[in-house]
Amino acid sequence: MRCDTVWHGARLATMTGDGLALVDDGIVAQSDGRIVYAGAAADAPSLEADRRVDCAGRLVTPGLIDPHTHLVHEGDRALEFEMRLEGASYEAIARAGGGIVSTTRATRAASEDDLVASALPRLDALIAEGATTVEIKSGYGLDQDNEIRMLRAARRLGIERPVGIVTTFLGAHAVPSEFAGDADGYIALLCDDVLPAIAEQGLADAVDAFCEGIGFTPAQVERVFAAAALHGLPVKLHAEQLSNLGGAALAARHGALSADHLEHLDAAGVAAMAAAGTVATLLPGAYYFVRETKLPPVDLLRRAGVPISLATDCNPGTSPLTSLLLTMNMAATLFRLTVAECLAGVTRNAARALGLTDRGTLEAGKRCDLAIWNVERPAELVYRMGFNPLHARIWSGR
């Protein structure tokens, strides 16, 4: 078999099946950016390669995937962080004009070039730790022109850097000041004007909403999801972060790719997600940063067979986190996920949370997105804090 590159002398975590699927003395071969073989060297076909790379026993995993970020925004919310340290709640800060609305003011004042420039360092931090695919949401523009500008900036990041970018329209993130007291009117604007314009320009891969007491009601989210379906866009949902409004079950009824946060998820919501194949995306950075005390129901999710993905939730207010390695450590220490669950959460299950079937595992036919680590055991990627053992990152075979 002729191929472009063979990486040999590696220990592979192929992430196929249910666990790590470790292979000692493994090789990965790629041609035209796709894996043509991944597995034990002893079982490999005859390979004629233009380039051979000795991994010298290093661990090779699929490239990491961050399936939930708010990477494009302007400004920070360090003052609100200080306020929370002094006792103010997330809800109180939001109702006083802080929170998402304060980031909206800064983001609306920024140009598209400004948004790209401010997001690049955050993206670079993820890339430096092996990320090869990153989801980016809008949701700080909250009107047609600014939501479109955010999504255009997100798309440009995939031109500026060798990384896969998945964009999500999150217009239903908060009610902007010009619609104060008229959330239904704002939802009508999103469904009738903003979403059709974004769909026409092909700027979004999915549609998201914030179903919460300080966000939008289930009935309002239903309207957004119905509009998304009209434009052939899959949906996902911020659900059960601060209370249980039945958002996860609602998302499941609409065949959502994922429901995210889920600290207040109940057994009925878990069952609905399991039946629909909806991924549970846990966000330990936000849990840690806002000092949440109610754990997501990990055992219920496990027993129901709901896939668990992990994400940074990188955002200026509740999770200014740009490290998937630290995200895994937090998921293990705070949520008691296993090493295998953590790695699956940022590879195969993260891909599933984005509706991507062409990445997340090391097997023939998948994109050749790899992370090569200066470690021997997968556990080293999860237990360390503030340490980056990445040796090389391969994106689409390069």
Side-chain angles (χ1 to χ4, degrees):
M1 180 187 299
R2 188 75 189 173
C3 58
D4 298 332
T5 312
V6 170
W7 290 269
H8 62 92
R11 189 176 197 210
L12 308 181
T14 66
M15 306 310 300
T16 54
D18 294 329
L20 296 171
L22 291 173
V23 177
D24 290 317
D25 191 20
I27 65 174
V28 177
Q30 72 89 19
S31 184
D32 295 326
R34 296 279 171 175
I35 296 172
V36 296
Y37 177 80
D43 299 330
S46 177
L47 296 167
E48 296 182 19
D50 296 332
R51 186 169 70 109
R52 302 185 72 89
V53 179
D54 186 355
C55 293
R58 294 182 176 90
L59 179 71
V60 178
T61 69
L64 305 189
I65 299 171
D66 194 339
H68 182 133
T69 85
H70 305 257
L71 210 66
V72 171
H73 65 264
E74 196 63 40
D76 65 64
R77 304 224 297 267
L79 177 59
E80 294 176 19
F81 172 67
E82 187 174 8
M83 291 170 65
R84 282 201 302 276
L85 292 177
E86 294 171 354
S89 70
Y90 179 68
E91 294 95 327
I93 290 170
R95 296 189 188 283
I100 293 166
V101 175
S102 67
T103 299
T104 297
R105 289 193 295 269
T107 299
R108 286 180 173 183
S111 69
E112 184 178 314
D113 287 343
D114 292 336
L115 293 174
V116 171
S118 64
L120 277 172
R122 295 187 280 271
L123 179 60
D124 286 341
L126 289 167
I127 289 172
E129 288 190 352
T132 51
T133 300
V134 177
E135 185 259 17
I136 301 175
K137 303 178 191 297
S138 65
Y140 295 126
L142 305 185
D143 63 23
Q144 182 166 313
D145 289 346
N146 287 291
E147 287 290 297
I148 286 174
R149 188 164 73 250
M150 286 190 70
L151 291 168
R152 283 179 175 163
R155 293 280 204 216
R156 279 180 54 188
L157 292 173
I159 298 171
E160 296 285 340
R161 296 291 187 269
V163 65
I165 297 294
V166 177
T167 54
T168 300
F169 171 53
L170 180 59
H173 198 195
V175 178
S177 57
E178 57 268 29
F179 278 87
D182 187 18
D184 284 334
Y186 178 59
I187 291 294
L189 174 72
L190 294 180
C191 295
D192 297 341
D193 297 329
V194 184
L195 180 52
I198 286 170
E200 182 180 4
Q201 296 180 48
L203 288 173
D205 300 305
V207 173
D208 198 348
F210 183 31
C211 187
E212 191 53 73
I214 59 171
F216 296 92
T217 67
Q220 290 163 345
V221 171
E222 290 266 16
R223 293 172 62 188
V224 173
F225 282 2
L230 288 176
H231 295 283
L233 290 170
V235 298
K236 50 181 54 195
L237 189 64
H238 288 60
E240 273 77 273
Q241 179 184 11
L242 306 172
S243 62
N244 185 359
L245 297 184
L250 182 161
R253 287 198 301 273
H254 288 265
L257 294 172
S258 71
D260 303 17
H261 284 292
L262 304 178
E263 283 87 343
H264 292 260
L265 178 65
D266 61 12
V270 171
M273 292 176 66
T278 297
V279 175
T281 298
L282 304 185
L283 309 172
Y287 177 94
Y288 165 84
F289 197 77
V290 302
R291 296 188 292 179
E292 179 59 78
T293 57
K294 186 170 179 58
L295 290 164
V298 171
D299 285 340
L300 283 178
L301 293 168
R302 284 173 175 147
R303 289 199 295 270
V306 176
I308 296 173
S309 72
L310 300 173
T312 62
D313 190 20
C314 176
N315 77 79
T318 61
S319 187
L321 174 62
T322 54
S323 170
L324 281 170
L325 294 176
L326 184 54
T327 297
M328 286 194 288
N329 178 272
M330 288 179 170
T333 56
L334 299 174
F335 300 162
R336 311 309 295 170
L337 266 62
T338 67
V339 168
E341 287 172 331
C342 288
L343 283 168
V346 295
T347 54
R348 66 169 180 265
N349 290 343
R352 183 170 174 177
L354 297 177
L356 300 174
T357 60
D358 65 345
R359 65 200 74 184
T361 59
L362 302 182
E363 55 187 321
K366 296 295 181 77
R367 284 177 55 95
C368 188
D369 292 347
L370 314 176
I372 304 174
W373 307 95
N374 287 315
V375 303
E376 294 181 3
R377 298 173 57 83
E380 293 184 63
L381 299 180
V382 178
Y383 101 100
R384 292 184 185 272
M385 294 184 289
F387 177 77
N388 180 9
L390 187 71
H391 172 74
R393 171 186 170 276
I394 310 300
W395 182 73
S396 192
R398 303 192 298 278

